[in-house]
Amino acid sequence: MSVEATIRFDDRVAIVTGAGNGLGRCHALGLAARGAIVIVNDAGGTVAGAGKSATAETVVAEIEAAGGTAIADTADVTDPAQVAAMIERATERWGRIDILVNNAGILRDKSFAKLALEDFRAVLEVHVLGAFHAAKAVWERMRAQNYGRIVFTTSSSGLYGNFGQANYGTAKAALIGLMKVLDQEGRKHDIRVNILSPTASTRMTEALLPEEDRALLDPASVTPGLLYLVSDKAPTGVMLCAGAGCFARAEVVETAGIYLPPGERSPETVAARFDEISASDGAATLPDAWAQTKKYVALARQAQKSRSGKS
């Protein structure tokens, strides 16, 4: 097996939201250990009147004790003004922002029948709007410097669904769409945008996991995947799944599909041929939304040409 060059982040400036505990803490420590200057963002455990987050300050102390450079920031990711101010403070101090890890999140699990609007809205505010505010605040700076790495954090709940998580699953699925668009828009400026789908034992999930599984699901086992996604070697437009030392890639795929001529376009025909429509042979990931339109047009033209040749 060939040995790849070491991934480093010397002189790179990174922001990690929700970095006071769990996955965010591990991501911040991992970035700092490889040379990055890290803004440890966490609004949790804020010290009254001090403008400090006890959890973020603890992570900063860990980084500094290991010889790294970091500062704590208590910006609430749901407040665009606070997020913009955080980016401005970091830029004034270090001149650039290279990496943004959108990790901040909350849970308010309830079955859909019992889910209140305020709990639905609160989860979307943190996960979706929080990630949007942060990405929007760094976007023009990354475009100007022709370099950027952004990671959004999704979940298997967003990819595959999970009972009692209509709000969380909706939010996490929304981030996939945001990533896919920013991947398209950022490429010419070397802004690489990816998704991380982690599973780990954290404050958010510990009550949901059997005790015997928690040791395997160490948040630190996810961070190597995150570090790759924000490195100079990073891909773009990728959904990387990680947990318990395991890594996999998720894809949105579309089956090859079929063409129905006008006289056969009925729900009964769709029902009768649904297995054919669903056949996995020829399923593929499409590069963008227009690829689907072009695919259908090509399929229709090919079918019409074939039928015309037979008539």
Side-chain angles (χ1 to χ4, degrees):
M1 183 176 67
S2 62
V3 178
E4 296 289 338
T6 301
I7 288 177
R8 296 283 305 175
F9 301 98
D10 300 294
D11 300 320
R12 296 293 187 200
V13 180
I15 295 174
V16 183
T17 68
N21 291 285
L23 286 161
R25 170 183 170 274
C26 291
H27 297 340
L29 292 173
L31 284 160
R34 290 173 177 259
I37 298 164
V38 183
I39 294 89
V40 179
N41 166 254
D42 202 294
T46 302
V47 180
K52 294 183 178 181
S53 165
T55 54
E57 292 287 353
T58 299
V59 177
V60 169
E62 288 184 76
I63 290 172
E64 291 178 341
T69 303
I71 60 169
D73 199 292
T74 61
D76 180 347
V77 295
T78 67
D79 185 329
Q82 289 189 37
V83 173
M86 173 177 67
I87 303 304
E88 191 62 33
R89 286 190 292 271
T91 304
E92 286 179 359
R93 185 161 182 174
W94 288 295
R96 59 190 293 121
I97 302 291
D98 299 290
I99 296 165
L100 170 64
V101 179
N102 286 294
N103 174 75
I106 61 171
L107 283 179
R108 292 194 180 178
D109 291 356
K110 287 184 180 177
S111 66
F112 192 65
K114 298 178 181 178
L115 181 62
L117 175 60
E118 56 266 29
D119 287 331
F120 188 85
R121 179 177 285 130
V123 170
L124 266 67
E125 284 277 354
V126 174
H127 291 272
V128 181
L129 289 178
F132 167 80
H133 295 324
K136 184 68 173 174
V138 302
W139 192 253
E140 287 307 315
R141 289 173 169 82
M142 288 182 173
R143 278 166 48 93
Q145 67 197 22
N146 281 307
Y147 186 94
R149 301 290 184 267
I150 298 175
V151 169
F152 297 108
T153 306
T154 191
S155 165
S156 54
S157 296
L159 290 166
Y160 311 117
N162 198 28
F163 186 93
Q165 292 194 317
N167 49 6
Y168 188 73
T170 299
K172 290 306 190 183
L175 291 171
I176 296 171
L178 180 57
M179 178 275 283
K180 289 291 187 181
V181 172
L182 296 191
D183 161 47
Q184 298 288 328
E185 295 186 7
R187 289 186 182 193
K188 67 180 180 180
H189 297 286
D190 195 20
I191 303 173
R192 303 183 197 179
V193 188
N194 295 291
I195 279 267
L196 180 67
S197 179
T199 183
S201 179
T202 67
R203 288 184 306 163
M204 286 175 58
T205 62
E206 62 184 0
L208 307 174
L209 294 167
E211 186 174 351
E212 60 269 24
D213 293 347
R214 292 176 196 166
L216 291 173
L217 291 165
D218 180 357
S221 70
V222 172
T223 294
L226 179 280
L227 297 180
Y228 168 60
L229 292 181
V230 297
S231 71
D232 287 349
K233 299 175 179 293
T236 189
V238 163
M239 292 189 288
L240 180 67
C241 306
C246 303
F247 299 88
R249 183 170 173 178
E251 293 279 5
V252 176
V253 300
E254 183 172 307
T255 63
I258 63 171
Y259 170 78
L260 296 179
E264 297 179 27
R265 291 173 195 166
S266 68
E268 292 79 13
T269 306
V270 173
R273 299 186 65 182
F274 196 69
D275 285 348
E276 188 181 350
I277 291 168
S278 304
S280 60
D281 292 348
T285 297
L286 303 180
D288 55 42
W290 281 110
Q292 185 193 64
T293 301
K294 293 174 182 177
K295 169 189 166 183
Y296 293 168
V297 168
L299 186 61
R301 282 179 175 163
Q302 181 181 8
Q304 289 173 345
K305 183 177 180 181
S306 177
R307 290 172 64 87
S308 176
K310 291 178 182 179
S311 60

